[in-house]
Each structure stands twice: as C-alpha cells, then as structure tokens.
mmCIF file of all heavy atoms in Angstrom:
data_model
loop_
_atom_site.group_PDB
_atom_site.id
_atom_site.type_symbol
_atom_site.label_atom_id
_atom_site.label_comp_id
_atom_site.label_asym_id
_atom_site.label_seq_id
_atom_site.Cartn_x
_atom_site.Cartn_y
_atom_site.Cartn_z
ATOM 1 N N LEU A 25 1.523 9.987 -4.451
ATOM 2 C CA LEU A 25 0.180 9.887 -5.034
ATOM 3 C C LEU A 25 -0.033 8.501 -5.617
ATOM 4 O O LEU A 25 0.912 7.868 -6.110
ATOM 5 C CB LEU A 25 0.027 10.945 -6.138
ATOM 6 C CG LEU A 25 -1.321 11.042 -6.850
ATOM 7 C CD1 LEU A 25 -2.357 11.692 -5.924
ATOM 8 C CD2 LEU A 25 -1.194 11.860 -8.132
ATOM 9 N N ALA A 26 -1.287 8.030 -5.555
ATOM 10 C CA ALA A 26 -1.693 6.802 -6.256
ATOM 11 C C ALA A 26 -0.759 5.641 -5.947
ATOM 12 O O ALA A 26 -0.126 5.068 -6.836
ATOM 13 C CB ALA A 26 -1.768 7.047 -7.763
ATOM 14 N N SER A 27 -0.670 5.281 -4.683
ATOM 15 C CA SER A 27 0.276 4.265 -4.238
ATOM 16 C C SER A 27 -0.286 3.508 -3.041
ATOM 17 O O SER A 27 -1.417 3.721 -2.625
ATOM 18 C CB SER A 27 1.608 4.930 -3.862
ATOM 19 O OG SER A 27 2.188 5.612 -4.954
ATOM 20 N N GLN A 28 0.528 2.570 -2.525
ATOM 21 C CA GLN A 28 0.193 1.837 -1.309
ATOM 22 C C GLN A 28 -1.171 1.135 -1.413
ATOM 23 O O GLN A 28 -2.086 1.360 -0.629
ATOM 24 C CB GLN A 28 0.236 2.788 -0.109
ATOM 25 C CG GLN A 28 1.609 3.381 0.122
ATOM 26 C CD GLN A 28 1.667 4.449 1.178
ATOM 27 O OE1 GLN A 28 0.662 4.786 1.809
ATOM 28 N NE2 GLN A 28 2.853 5.008 1.398
ATOM 29 N N GLY A 29 -1.266 0.274 -2.410
ATOM 30 C CA GLY A 29 -2.517 -0.430 -2.675
ATOM 31 C C GLY A 29 -3.468 0.417 -3.485
ATOM 32 O O GLY A 29 -4.563 0.755 -3.023
ATOM 33 N N PHE A 30 -3.076 0.772 -4.712
ATOM 34 C CA PHE A 30 -3.868 1.632 -5.596
ATOM 35 C C PHE A 30 -4.277 0.857 -6.840
ATOM 36 O O PHE A 30 -3.439 0.242 -7.506
ATOM 37 C CB PHE A 30 -3.066 2.860 -6.014
ATOM 38 C CG PHE A 30 -3.709 3.663 -7.123
ATOM 39 C CD1 PHE A 30 -4.723 4.562 -6.840
ATOM 40 C CD2 PHE A 30 -3.307 3.503 -8.434
ATOM 41 C CE1 PHE A 30 -5.319 5.302 -7.852
ATOM 42 C CE2 PHE A 30 -3.887 4.238 -9.464
ATOM 43 C CZ PHE A 30 -4.910 5.134 -9.162
ATOM 44 N N GLY A 31 -5.575 0.900 -7.151
ATOM 45 C CA GLY A 31 -6.085 0.287 -8.364
ATOM 46 C C GLY A 31 -6.774 1.309 -9.236
ATOM 47 O O GLY A 31 -7.887 1.750 -8.934
ATOM 48 N N GLY A 32 -6.104 1.719 -10.316
ATOM 49 C CA GLY A 32 -6.713 2.601 -11.297
ATOM 50 C C GLY A 32 -7.520 1.808 -12.304
ATOM 51 O O GLY A 32 -7.678 0.581 -12.173
ATOM 52 N N PRO A 33 -8.066 2.430 -13.332
ATOM 53 C CA PRO A 33 -8.871 1.720 -14.325
ATOM 54 C C PRO A 33 -8.162 0.475 -14.861
ATOM 55 O O PRO A 33 -7.001 0.530 -15.276
ATOM 56 C CB PRO A 33 -9.071 2.767 -15.421
ATOM 57 C CG PRO A 33 -9.028 4.062 -14.684
ATOM 58 C CD PRO A 33 -8.000 3.877 -13.616
ATOM 59 N N GLY A 34 -8.848 -0.646 -14.810
ATOM 60 C CA GLY A 34 -8.295 -1.894 -15.307
ATOM 61 C C GLY A 34 -7.155 -2.435 -14.485
ATOM 62 O O GLY A 34 -6.458 -3.346 -14.940
ATOM 63 N N GLY A 35 -6.958 -1.920 -13.274
ATOM 64 C CA GLY A 35 -5.801 -2.319 -12.494
ATOM 65 C C GLY A 35 -6.155 -3.001 -11.191
ATOM 66 O O GLY A 35 -7.207 -2.750 -10.594
ATOM 67 N N TYR A 36 -5.249 -3.883 -10.749
ATOM 68 C CA TYR A 36 -5.340 -4.555 -9.452
ATOM 69 C C TYR A 36 -4.028 -4.306 -8.714
ATOM 70 O O TYR A 36 -3.002 -4.910 -9.052
ATOM 71 C CB TYR A 36 -5.577 -6.055 -9.625
ATOM 72 C CG TYR A 36 -6.881 -6.393 -10.308
ATOM 73 C CD1 TYR A 36 -6.980 -6.368 -11.699
ATOM 74 C CD2 TYR A 36 -8.007 -6.730 -9.563
ATOM 75 C CE1 TYR A 36 -8.178 -6.676 -12.332
ATOM 76 C CE2 TYR A 36 -9.213 -7.034 -10.189
ATOM 77 C CZ TYR A 36 -9.292 -6.994 -11.565
ATOM 78 O OH TYR A 36 -10.481 -7.287 -12.182
ATOM 79 N N GLY A 37 -4.068 -3.391 -7.739
ATOM 80 C CA GLY A 37 -2.882 -3.056 -6.979
ATOM 81 C C GLY A 37 -2.993 -3.551 -5.553
ATOM 82 O O GLY A 37 -3.983 -3.272 -4.866
ATOM 83 N N VAL A 38 -1.964 -4.294 -5.076
ATOM 84 C CA VAL A 38 -2.022 -4.930 -3.762
ATOM 85 C C VAL A 38 -0.708 -4.681 -3.026
ATOM 86 O O VAL A 38 0.381 -4.911 -3.574
ATOM 87 C CB VAL A 38 -2.257 -6.447 -3.876
ATOM 88 C CG1 VAL A 38 -2.287 -7.090 -2.498
ATOM 89 C CG2 VAL A 38 -3.552 -6.731 -4.629
ATOM 90 N N GLN A 39 -0.806 -4.232 -1.779
ATOM 91 C CA GLN A 39 0.343 -4.123 -0.895
ATOM 92 C C GLN A 39 0.070 -4.966 0.345
ATOM 93 O O GLN A 39 -0.994 -4.865 0.954
ATOM 94 C CB GLN A 39 0.605 -2.671 -0.483
ATOM 95 C CG GLN A 39 1.796 -2.530 0.462
ATOM 96 C CD GLN A 39 2.116 -1.088 0.811
ATOM 97 O OE1 GLN A 39 1.422 -0.178 0.393
ATOM 98 N NE2 GLN A 39 3.174 -0.883 1.568
ATOM 99 N N VAL A 40 1.070 -5.778 0.737
ATOM 100 C CA VAL A 40 0.936 -6.674 1.888
ATOM 101 C C VAL A 40 2.141 -6.499 2.791
ATOM 102 O O VAL A 40 3.285 -6.589 2.336
ATOM 103 C CB VAL A 40 0.827 -8.150 1.453
ATOM 104 C CG1 VAL A 40 0.664 -9.049 2.673
ATOM 105 C CG2 VAL A 40 -0.336 -8.346 0.476
ATOM 106 N N ASP A 41 1.890 -6.247 4.072
ATOM 107 C CA ASP A 41 2.955 -6.232 5.073
ATOM 108 C C ASP A 41 2.582 -7.230 6.153
ATOM 109 O O ASP A 41 1.530 -7.124 6.783
ATOM 110 C CB ASP A 41 3.117 -4.835 5.679
ATOM 111 C CG ASP A 41 4.364 -4.736 6.545
ATOM 112 O OD1 ASP A 41 4.378 -5.346 7.633
ATOM 113 O OD2 ASP A 41 5.320 -4.048 6.139
ATOM 114 N N ARG A 42 3.456 -8.196 6.406
ATOM 115 C CA ARG A 42 3.093 -9.314 7.268
ATOM 116 C C ARG A 42 3.411 -9.094 8.735
ATOM 117 O O ARG A 42 2.778 -9.708 9.594
ATOM 118 C CB ARG A 42 3.785 -10.589 6.768
ATOM 119 C CG ARG A 42 3.332 -11.019 5.368
ATOM 120 C CD ARG A 42 3.954 -12.341 4.975
ATOM 121 N NE ARG A 42 3.593 -13.398 5.898
ATOM 122 C CZ ARG A 42 4.126 -14.622 5.885
ATOM 123 N NH1 ARG A 42 5.077 -14.899 4.984
ATOM 124 N NH2 ARG A 42 3.751 -15.535 6.748
ATOM 125 N N SER A 43 4.374 -8.245 9.085
ATOM 126 C CA SER A 43 4.692 -8.049 10.501
ATOM 127 C C SER A 43 5.515 -6.786 10.679
ATOM 128 O O SER A 43 6.088 -6.247 9.724
ATOM 129 C CB SER A 43 5.443 -9.257 11.072
ATOM 130 O OG SER A 43 6.715 -9.381 10.476
ATOM 131 N N GLY A 44 5.581 -6.315 11.944
ATOM 132 C CA GLY A 44 6.366 -5.134 12.255
ATOM 133 C C GLY A 44 5.503 -3.920 12.535
ATOM 134 O O GLY A 44 4.328 -3.860 12.172
ATOM 135 N N ASP A 45 6.109 -2.942 13.228
ATOM 136 C CA ASP A 45 5.447 -1.662 13.497
ATOM 137 C C ASP A 45 5.785 -0.723 12.340
ATOM 138 O O ASP A 45 6.907 -0.220 12.229
ATOM 139 C CB ASP A 45 5.931 -1.070 14.821
ATOM 140 C CG ASP A 45 5.652 -1.993 16.006
ATOM 141 O OD1 ASP A 45 4.703 -2.794 15.922
ATOM 142 O OD2 ASP A 45 6.387 -1.913 17.003
ATOM 143 N N ASP A 46 4.807 -0.474 11.493
ATOM 144 C CA ASP A 46 5.056 0.191 10.224
ATOM 145 C C ASP A 46 4.414 1.574 10.157
ATOM 146 O O ASP A 46 3.443 1.863 10.858
ATOM 147 C CB ASP A 46 4.532 -0.680 9.082
ATOM 148 C CG ASP A 46 5.096 -2.092 9.133
ATOM 149 O OD1 ASP A 46 6.322 -2.234 9.219
ATOM 150 O OD2 ASP A 46 4.290 -3.043 9.124
ATOM 151 N N TYR A 47 4.953 2.404 9.275
ATOM 152 C CA TYR A 47 4.475 3.765 9.086
ATOM 153 C C TYR A 47 4.163 3.982 7.613
ATOM 154 O O TYR A 47 5.000 3.713 6.743
ATOM 155 C CB TYR A 47 5.531 4.761 9.556
ATOM 156 C CG TYR A 47 5.193 6.204 9.256
ATOM 157 C CD1 TYR A 47 4.264 6.895 10.027
ATOM 158 C CD2 TYR A 47 5.809 6.880 8.202
ATOM 159 C CE1 TYR A 47 3.962 8.219 9.764
ATOM 160 C CE2 TYR A 47 5.513 8.207 7.925
ATOM 161 C CZ TYR A 47 4.585 8.872 8.711
ATOM 162 O OH TYR A 47 4.280 10.181 8.437
ATOM 163 N N TYR A 48 2.962 4.478 7.331
ATOM 164 C CA TYR A 48 2.516 4.760 5.971
ATOM 165 C C TYR A 48 2.199 6.251 5.841
ATOM 166 O O TYR A 48 1.470 6.805 6.663
ATOM 167 C CB TYR A 48 1.252 3.967 5.627
ATOM 168 C CG TYR A 48 1.406 2.469 5.668
ATOM 169 C CD1 TYR A 48 1.301 1.773 6.864
ATOM 170 C CD2 TYR A 48 1.638 1.737 4.507
ATOM 171 C CE1 TYR A 48 1.429 0.396 6.905
ATOM 172 C CE2 TYR A 48 1.766 0.358 4.532
ATOM 173 C CZ TYR A 48 1.664 -0.310 5.740
ATOM 174 O OH TYR A 48 1.786 -1.672 5.785
ATOM 175 N N GLU A 49 2.715 6.879 4.801
ATOM 176 C CA GLU A 49 2.434 8.290 4.545
ATOM 177 C C GLU A 49 2.241 8.500 3.051
ATOM 178 O O GLU A 49 3.023 8.003 2.239
ATOM 179 C CB GLU A 49 3.579 9.166 5.050
ATOM 180 C CG GLU A 49 3.391 10.650 4.792
ATOM 181 C CD GLU A 49 4.595 11.470 5.190
ATOM 182 O OE1 GLU A 49 5.261 11.106 6.191
ATOM 183 O OE2 GLU A 49 4.895 12.469 4.506
ATOM 184 N N CYS A 50 1.209 9.254 2.687
ATOM 185 C CA CYS A 50 0.948 9.478 1.263
ATOM 186 C C CYS A 50 0.125 10.753 1.089
ATOM 187 O O CYS A 50 -0.846 10.970 1.812
ATOM 188 C CB CYS A 50 0.202 8.286 0.668
ATOM 189 S SG CYS A 50 -0.099 8.434 -1.101
#
C-alpha cells in the first residue's frame, strides 16, 4: 500500500527506474 511513487499530504514521493524489463505489483 501507498508505495511506488506515492505522495501523501505534504509529501513528494518519486520512484525512477532507468532500464530493464521490470515488474510492479501493489
């Protein structure tokens, strides 16, 4: 929960992946 580039109140959340075959689950 609340992950992988998540910005809650007053927050700046950043996720960066530059290369590769990737898998995201949430």
